């Protein structure tokens, strides 16, 4: 067995990119099918010459796709509200699952996927926290944990700031995703748990503002927010999320320890080009997270496929996403209520 | 009248530097006297050849110094606990005053200086918020306010992170200065008020940790802290203060607006030198704020002297420091209590 | 026809990497065979599980490999001295060829490959100037030619500086490659012709030094050299080549025009990580050109394969390498003789 | 004796700045007089309130200025063609001299100043190579010589690139200054001698181009040029000079050694401000060398004054400028003739 048959469900921006990643960068994965419930996506896929060349079947019904002959794995890249049920359906059919984060914005539903996966330990089920596979974050991890380059890490600052999207598309999208701290900061929260060695939250608070998208008010959300999470044991993380950056997709993380600091992408750059002209010296910034994390998605997909082929552990435990979601929801609650949200020493939310 | 006779009180690290600034960079100021209550500082000053060359009298009694023949102005550079009384004494004698920030950690006492100064409008009384005179912050102001380069500013991130001082000197010093948010973040708070156009605080929260200086616990302080201030009108500032950086004095500020962001000193550098060797490419960072802000102190002193000579407004209203102190104390309270501190719409603290 | 069968000849460092690129990043290429004349490389390849998984045949005889059933294309990645004869043999068998630069260090031999390729216009024959496929150089080209961002380009500075290799391997390798300006600067010369719009050389001079490898003296070479090429029409390029950098593989290019300058990789970085510690702020640099140009090799291979499949022009004319080689050899002559080498207005060398 | 009485001759851009430096940053110098032969400069100076405040006499006759009561030193900041004769006149009157570089574009004349100074060893006579006093170059020196951070230095790259001046003023100015390699590169040549430890030149070559100022052709000059100097002993320096940069005054130096590289100002910045907007991230560059080297001029002036007051050696031997000029003239000859200029092992030019 040198390759696996895989299907991608969801053909939005990311779904198409995942198909591309699988075709171009994951030689041990054979994309045999894609699926979408969106008519325009189906039309786009059925007329796509590349999909024909590579023999990719196009489905408009998820159950039918799961029945594709020989299918072994599914990459769930649909909207967040169906992540859990699609993952559960695939698990039921004994298919391996790589599911985009988060499993669900409902903690009980997310837990149900974790439970279903545990019940079938031979299946590989993983949530896609793509930054965990990024070369720079991995190098940061090497420096922090293997080389002890910064002593004991105690503070994380992490930002996820998107380029302003004046089409308003993101607003409709965001409405299904649990608010800015769940939708934007989830990776940052995950990074803080990684680099602070899985501390338990103690308290959090947040503040937000509406600068470009007043329509978010009715959706109980904001377009810019900052939040602090205090952990038990004297560790702290703080976050800035924004939907309205003028200069590009700006995602940076700083991990401060007792003897130093590791900085990841504090000065974002699209490439190695600098232009010197009458405005001075300038460089461009990636427009969105795809450009920043394209390589990470390829590593993630290859490692997932390798875990399936070699029957090894997936690189990231599925349940780690649950605590991330708890913290994201607490920050969102703090943002909307103005109150501090507190946790007990086991990390259980107190109110 | 082309120059003024000025004295410096306090000959700690900063007092000595202020004398140097006056001698080397403020030709219209003539340093005629210095004063200290510390015997070793007095000894140092009386044996200093440069002070002899320039004819600087050395006093161990502040009142005597104030009576120095022809004295016109005083630069108060003593410890924070005597800033107010020394400023008041100078004002009483009709001397112009440049007082290091803050006027006092006691709001009533600080207000008493403001009141005394108002009662003698012919006197120039200024609190030394040195960053206001820094070329980069002024350029940032030009971009934000004059050129409208970032649209409407709504968020400020600002850090004051000191190089770790293993001598413990700072701990004794800090005990007199009101805690980390009052001592360290006061400039950052001032900058946030400047760049957000004097908003009124609405609520704040903070979290801190002790990483190197457990002895601070007894002094109700921490060595690293982050805090968020939410202002009325949808503006936000957040701060990181640290006493324990490994790499140098790291002071940066980001002002985010609706159309862009201005970043000041986000990548701190000691000078223009980069060393490439087997570790990669590296540059050094200023060890302390003197190296970062030496030029700003010279500008500050020249502008203060010019205001005296030309009888013009001092560049920074004395009372602006009061709101800075209110916010600093609220953050410190939030840090120690774990509770949100709230303000009414006029910026008055509610509890 | 949706993919081509391709073989790689030469299994040194780069040959192995090219196989990897074809497997992992070029879905329309099927690697069916590899070939080496080196026993240890053969042994390595025959025992390689991945090669077995993907069904790659291993040959120790180049002619036999060319006879592999269904083979359509060859990637020549052997040592420079056999580039030409292996390319000619492949062309003779009507196989498409992607040949590593340079075709040959002998201009007549290089021309013979160009002639053979011209005689079979249906074949795609390309020399691998990988930097032409790098995202940053392509963005530079976009800025220079499409956006006219720097006015009229008239000067190029370009460096190829390798990390010091104390194993001495490179010295033996270099002996076969025509000297530092032919071996190292060939890409820089190619870039200068690209960005200066194919000017004709007028004169050149160079100077070099031996700092780490005195043994190069007997091979008529140096380990560090700088050279200037003056072109007809007032354009200039200058180069620095080094075999002895302490900090990594440092390849940068600056294109100066009448209204600005485009800089590519002037501050080399391995990734997005910066470490702040007691030495200041530092980042690492790529150790060799593979890390810098891995993506470019994937683009190059995909574009070559696409040209074969779609029967379109290869992205880079084969003959463009001839002028690059002429200039490289003239610089090497100037370096060794100390004399200026001059060219007539058609770019023919005068002596 | 705690200060000296000094006069400045020449009130062009730099002369005015030197007066400012002396007034604001050199407390042990008392500016007693200025002198110019230009009527508009005289008018400007006589109506200048600051000059009045500080009691500065304004002369239109150099000899009269030299006779100013009590005058002890002169800062020669006139045009290059009168540097030597004004220095000689001052020396004749037993005045200390700080003369802008170069002493003369005529080597014999320059030597006559050196001889005159040697004949009066009690006088302090110094040529103003301001970069020698720059904090970054001094830090580079510390790293190279004291810390041996780069092993043995063997190569220097150094640029002096001026912002384009469309007023044409510089052309008229340049005509008196010996050509681009003498006028622009003189500091770079000086730096190469400094950091390569005073090697003797062996050969040099150069190429230039006219991009913005065709009128320079009649003056036997160019507006952009590159040159290489090979030194005896395997050391090399290469230079790029430009009058036509779009982005600012760009002066950088790289010193490469056997174990590393020191880079000075490779990424020029006006201040610590970065603007992020729809164009990406950008910073400004100093418009001219004054902004880059203002601090260096203050250090230079203070050290010169200190040498006078304490009767110590000037920090830079006067004769060191002679070799700098020899190399500059050789490069200019190579540029215009297209021929290599060679030197014997003692550094004497051969033809």
């Amino acid at each position: 067995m040198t390759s696996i048959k895989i299907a991608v469900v969801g053909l939005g921006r990311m779904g198409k990119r995942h198909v591309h990643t699988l075709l171009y960068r994951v030689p041990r994965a054979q994309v045999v099918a894609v699926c979408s419930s969106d008519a325009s996506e189906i039309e786009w896929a059925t007329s796509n010459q590349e999909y024909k060349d590579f023999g990719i079947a196009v489905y408009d019904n998820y159950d039918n796709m799961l029945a594709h002959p020989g299918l072994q794995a599914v990459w769930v890249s649909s909207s967040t509200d169906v992540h859990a049920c699609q993952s559960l359906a695939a698990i039921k059919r004994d298919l391996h699952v790589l599911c985009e984060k988060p499993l669900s914005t409902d903690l009980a539903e997310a837990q149900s996927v974790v439970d279903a996966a545990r019940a079938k330990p031979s299946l590989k089920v993983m949530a896609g926290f793509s930054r965990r596979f990024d070369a720079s974050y991995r190098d940061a991890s090497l420096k922090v944990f293997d080389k002890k380059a910064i002593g004991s890490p105690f503070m994380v600052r992490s930002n996820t700031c998107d380029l302003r999207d004046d089409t308003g598309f993101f607003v409709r999208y965001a409405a299904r995703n649990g608010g800015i701290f769940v939708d934007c900061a989830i990776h940052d929260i995950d990074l803080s748990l990684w680099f602070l060695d899985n501390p338990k939250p103690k308290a959090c608070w947040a503040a937000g503002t509406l600068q470009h998208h007043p329509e978010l008010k009715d959706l109980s959300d904001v377009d810019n927010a900052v939040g602090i999470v205090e952990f038990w044991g004297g560790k702290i993380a703080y976050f800035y999320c924004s939907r309205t950056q003028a200069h590009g997709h700006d995602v940076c993380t700083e991990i401060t320890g007792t003897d130093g600091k590791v900085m990841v992408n504090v000065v974002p750059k699209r490439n190695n080009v600098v232009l010197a002209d009458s405005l001075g010296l300038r460089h461009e910034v990636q427009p969105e997270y795809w450009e920043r994390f394209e390589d990470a998605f390829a590593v993630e997909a290859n490692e997932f496929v390798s875990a399936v082929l070699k029957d090894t552990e997936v690189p990231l435990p599925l349940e780690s996403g649950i605590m991330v979601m708890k913290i994201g929801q607490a920050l969102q609650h703090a943002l909307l209520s103005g109150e501090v949200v507190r946790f007990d020493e086991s990390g259980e939310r107190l109110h």
Side-chain angles (χ1 to χ4, degrees), chain A residues 279-297:
Chain A
L279 295 177
L281 264 60
R282 70 177 187 266
H283 65 262
E284 296 169 11
V285 175
Q286 288 105 336
E288 55 170 314
Y289 70 113
W290 176 247
E291 283 78 6
R292 171 68 185 85
F293 291 109
E294 181 174 357
D295 285 346
F297 283 110

Side-chain angles (χ1 to χ4, degrees), chain A residues 258-305:
Chain A
T258 47
D259 295 328
K261 178 169 70 157
V262 167
M263 305 152 82
V264 180
N265 206 38
V266 163
V267 180
K269 292 177 194 283
R270 180 178 217 157
N271 54 31
N272 298 310
V273 177
V274 171
L275 178 61
D277 64 10
S278 59
L279 295 177
L281 264 60
R282 70 177 187 266
H283 65 262
E284 296 169 11
V285 175
Q286 288 105 336
E288 55 170 314
Y289 70 113
W290 176 247
E291 283 78 6
R292 171 68 185 85
F293 291 109
E294 181 174 357
D295 285 346
F297 283 110
V299 173
E300 179 184 75
N302 275 293
E303 293 195 3
F304 172 74
V305 167

